[in-house]
Amino acid sequence: MPDFALGEWLPDQPAVELPGLLTVTNMIPTSTGYESHPQPNVVATKSLLPRNVQGAFSGESEGGVPYILAGTSRDVDTGTGPSLHLGWGSGDWLDVSPSVALSSFGNSGKWEFNQYGNLLIACGDFVSPQVLNVSSTPTGSSAFSELSPNASRAATAAIFKNFLILGDLVGQGHNASAIGTMRNGIHWSAIGNPALFPTVGTDPAINVQSDFQQLDGVGGPVTAIVPGGEYCVIFQERATWRLDYVGAPNVFNLRLIEPSIGCINSRTAIAVNNVVYFASAQGFMAFDGSSVSSTGSQRVDSTWLRDSTSDTTNAVVAHSPERGCVYWSVPGSSAVPGFSKSFAYQYEVNKWFLLTFPTMTWLFEAFSTPTSGSLDTLPLSIMAMDPVAASTLAGSSLDSLGFSDGTSVMGGFEPVYEVVSNALELTGSRLVTFNDSESVSVSGELETGDFRMPDGKRAVLDWIRPVFEPGPNFVGLGVKVAARNIPSTEGSNNYQSLVESPEVGAYVASAGMRPGGRYMRATVSTVGNVRSVSGFNVSIRTGGASR
């Protein structure tokens, strides 16, 4: 065990005698410490998509073919777009945009996607819901088309208990007069048929359990609809509802859970293991089917709200099952639009960290891409492989086959620019995945708060030894220490870089430059893959004694 174990990231807490860390960047919390986060890598089998991607979804057809569906924005300058694109299996993108222009989709509109059987459903920014049937292999002539002329235009949607539920509505067709503009309402399809929306209130609608419901109170527009297993959550801006299927004639039962806590937008709520995690105006929350609880209070909420106050309408949530993490991404301060950081929650250990990366315009859970390379090198060399019959691979080389391990990883779309007349011009967006491999990792940083020396005495650091386990792609560590005689204030740290001493087996200061004071803090920077950093062993001298 290290002398000083690394606690959780607590940026909302005072730095002095902090029971955790001030900075955790690109390091995933584990039960024993922190490990490096994989870096994003370009998927070479997919070409650039036009414009910025403003929505993405991955799934698998009933025939077992994995796919990625992406929607682009409207071009502000030319007015072209938006467009929809399907990456079917390992093939390149197919343009599956509807033949009818989606004129109501705004310049800053966002897409939402759902799957029902072999039906892929797209909605967003109050366009008429669109559908694509993938029961047969899509081709270059495949295209989305209107789901139903009587389905409400909506800002959000979800599939639950064999219904398509739409939220934040503008009624259409036979349902235009009954529903009208109902921002605090939901409208659901016939059971078992997401493309059937009979006239609400009539016998044909009643017989197939299709109807609508306006939510009581002053919770505001419906912002998200998230199935959580046997239940579904209906979020408004300022309210949380639980929806349960009860069958005819009532169809659904709605129960108000929280009258003052809601979700900021449809892209910041996600279900993981029957728990719905979401971002609210008060901070990060979790709903377990019974009650809402905070996951970020006194930890990261103040930092999130301070950093994202003007960006919440553009925030996006994504999930990485392999890492057990949920990521809320917010736009950075760069002039290039997109996300450059994520507030990430590792739900298995109930701890947070910050992920930084090149600018992305969307993040989502994606199927892992085929891995290729030599069986004698990473990552294949560390993976277990089941034996197969010789006939299965007859005439093939295992070193060149490549494979997909059947897992999901976090994916994203990175904008690509070129310089035209001394200005950046967008050429398209490329697909990347955060490969779940020890061979590639982003650089990380861990920073402690201020440790108060025993009895308030001044101390001098002899050496510091991080307790860590390097990974196969490990490059090195950087260790810095700041010391002072009074508690630190933000921006007042004068760090001194230490050097690794083979003789001592630890990091030490240059001769005559040992850090000293009544308060000390330390920073460890990682380059390459680190499997675990759990804490520090240190030697300090106070009043002439070693401690």
Side-chain angles (χ1 to χ4, degrees):
M1 290 289 292
D3 295 339
F4 295 95
L6 298 178
E8 63 177 306
W9 185 37
L10 297 172
D12 291 357
Q13 296 294 316
V16 177
E17 299 187 86
L18 180 71
L21 299 174
L22 283 175
T23 302
V24 177
T25 303
N26 302 334
M27 301 293 290
I28 304 172
T30 67
S31 59
T32 58
Y34 292 86
E35 65 178 355
S36 298
H37 195 285
Q39 71 178 17
N41 291 275
V42 176
V43 179
T45 57
K46 296 290 190 287
S47 57
L48 290 181
L49 290 179
R51 299 175 297 279
N52 284 324
V53 170
Q54 294 291 77
F57 178 82
S58 70
E60 193 172 73
S61 72
E62 290 192 324
V65 180
Y67 67 86
I68 294 176
L69 184 58
T72 71
S73 61
R74 181 179 298 279
D75 190 291
V76 177
D77 297 321
T78 66
T80 57
S83 56
L84 296 170
H85 302 266
L86 179 66
W88 188 253
S90 59
D92 203 357
W93 298 109
L94 297 171
D95 189 335
V96 290
S97 305
S99 58
V100 177
L102 303 175
S103 57
S104 66
F105 196 92
N107 293 338
S108 60
K110 307 292 191 299
W111 288 102
E112 276 198 23
F113 301 110
N114 287 278
Q115 178 180 353
Y116 185 89
N118 278 321
L119 299 181
L120 308 185
I121 300 168
C123 73
D125 208 34
F126 301 104
V127 299
S128 183
Q130 303 288 306
V131 65
L132 176 67
N133 192 323
V134 294
S135 56
S136 57
T137 302
T139 66
S141 61
S142 301
F144 275 85
S145 59
E146 187 176 46
L147 176 71
S148 166
N150 303 312
S152 296
R153 289 184 283 141
T156 187
I159 298 291
F160 176 65
K161 295 293 185 180
N162 293 317
F163 294 90
L164 172 63
I165 306 176
L166 306 170
D168 194 354
L169 310 171
V170 177
Q172 287 194 118
H174 297 159
N175 293 311
S177 59
I179 294 177
T181 298
M182 188 180 294
R183 303 210 61 187
N184 62 338
I186 56 175
H187 182 198
W188 58 91
S189 69
I191 187 170
N193 188 350
L196 180 59
F197 284 82
T199 305
V200 294
T202 64
D203 286 343
I206 294 171
N207 291 338
V208 295
Q209 302 183 42
S210 177
D211 208 344
F212 76 102
Q213 178 68 54
Q214 187 171 22
L215 303 179
D216 294 334
V218 292
V222 173
T223 52
I225 304 171
V226 186
E230 289 302 308
Y231 68 93
C232 184
V233 188
I234 309 295
F235 287 109
Q236 295 175 269
E237 285 182 348
R238 299 176 299 278
T240 301
W241 300 76
R242 172 170 169 152
L243 179 141
D244 292 277
Y245 177 66
V246 295
N250 293 329
V251 187
F252 291 115
N253 177 59
L254 272 165
R255 178 160 57 97
L256 181 62
I257 300 296
E258 282 287 349
S260 59
I261 298 175
C263 181
I264 56 177
N265 71 47
S266 62
R267 299 162 301 281
T268 57
I270 194 168
V272 178
N273 300 330
N274 296 327
V275 176
V276 177
Y277 298 97
F278 63 101
S280 72
Q282 294 87 349
F284 294 108
M285 303 287 175
F287 177 59
D288 62 3
S290 300
S291 61
V292 172
S293 59
S294 173
T295 59
S297 178
Q298 303 299 311
R299 300 201 283 180
V300 301
D301 281 350
S302 294
T303 302
W304 152 265
L305 294 170
R306 182 175 62 248
D307 284 358
S308 63
T309 299
S310 60
D311 299 319
T312 52
T313 56
N314 293 311
V316 170
V317 68
H319 175 224
S320 174
E322 291 72 33
R323 296 294 180 179
C325 297
V326 179
Y327 303 79
W328 284 269
S329 300
V330 291
S333 58
S334 170
V336 176
F339 311 110
S340 60
K341 60 184 175 182
S342 291
F343 286 75
Y345 178 63
Q346 214 295 341
Y347 47 81
E348 293 171 343
V349 297
N350 187 28
K351 293 179 181 178
W352 290 86
F353 67 101
L354 186 71
L355 176 66
T356 60
F357 41 77
T359 299
M360 306 279 178
T361 57
W362 204 265
L363 288 99
F364 67 109
E365 182 181 332
F367 280 103
S368 60
T369 54
T371 304
S372 61
S374 169
L375 294 178
D376 299 322
T377 60
L378 291 168
L380 306 188
S381 62
I382 62 172
M383 295 184 177
M385 297 186 180
D386 294 330
V388 294
S391 59
T392 304
L393 301 174
S396 300
S397 167
L398 281 173
D399 279 341
S400 60
L401 277 176
F403 72 99
S404 178
D405 59 12
T407 60
S408 297
V409 295
M410 190 169 72
F413 284 90
E414 182 180 20
V416 179
Y417 291 85
E418 64 180 2
V419 178
V420 178
S421 300
N422 296 320
L424 288 177
E425 184 173 298
L426 179 70
T427 60
S429 297
R430 60 189 178 193
L431 175 66
V432 301
T433 57
F434 289 78
N435 291 344
D436 197 31
S437 166
E438 289 188 322
S439 62
V440 283
S441 300
V442 291
S443 298
E445 183 175 87
L446 302 165
E447 181 185 25
T448 72
D450 285 336
F451 290 103
R452 184 175 180 270
M453 297 300 103
D455 303 320
K457 295 180 180 178
R458 190 177 186 279
V460 175
L461 177 72
D462 287 327
W463 52 259
I464 182 169
R465 182 184 298 123
V467 179
F468 75 102
E469 179 186 358
N473 192 43
F474 176 70
V475 176
L477 295 182
V479 179
K480 299 185 295 183
V481 171
R484 61 187 62 80
N485 288 321
I486 59 174
S488 70
T489 58
E490 188 173 351
S492 66
N493 297 308
N494 295 312
Y495 274 106
Q496 181 178 343
S497 295
L498 306 185
V499 294
E500 189 173 10
S501 170
E503 293 81 6
V504 180
Y507 288 79
V508 300
S510 301
M513 298 291 291
R514 291 179 179 175
R518 293 183 175 87
Y519 298 88
M520 291 188 193
R521 69 169 62 174
T523 295
V524 173
S525 301
T526 66
V527 181
N529 179 265
V530 177
R531 286 177 175 163
S532 175
V533 182
S534 58
F536 304 95
N537 290 328
V538 299
S539 175
I540 59 174
R541 287 177 294 147
T542 59
S546 179
R547 182 183 177 91

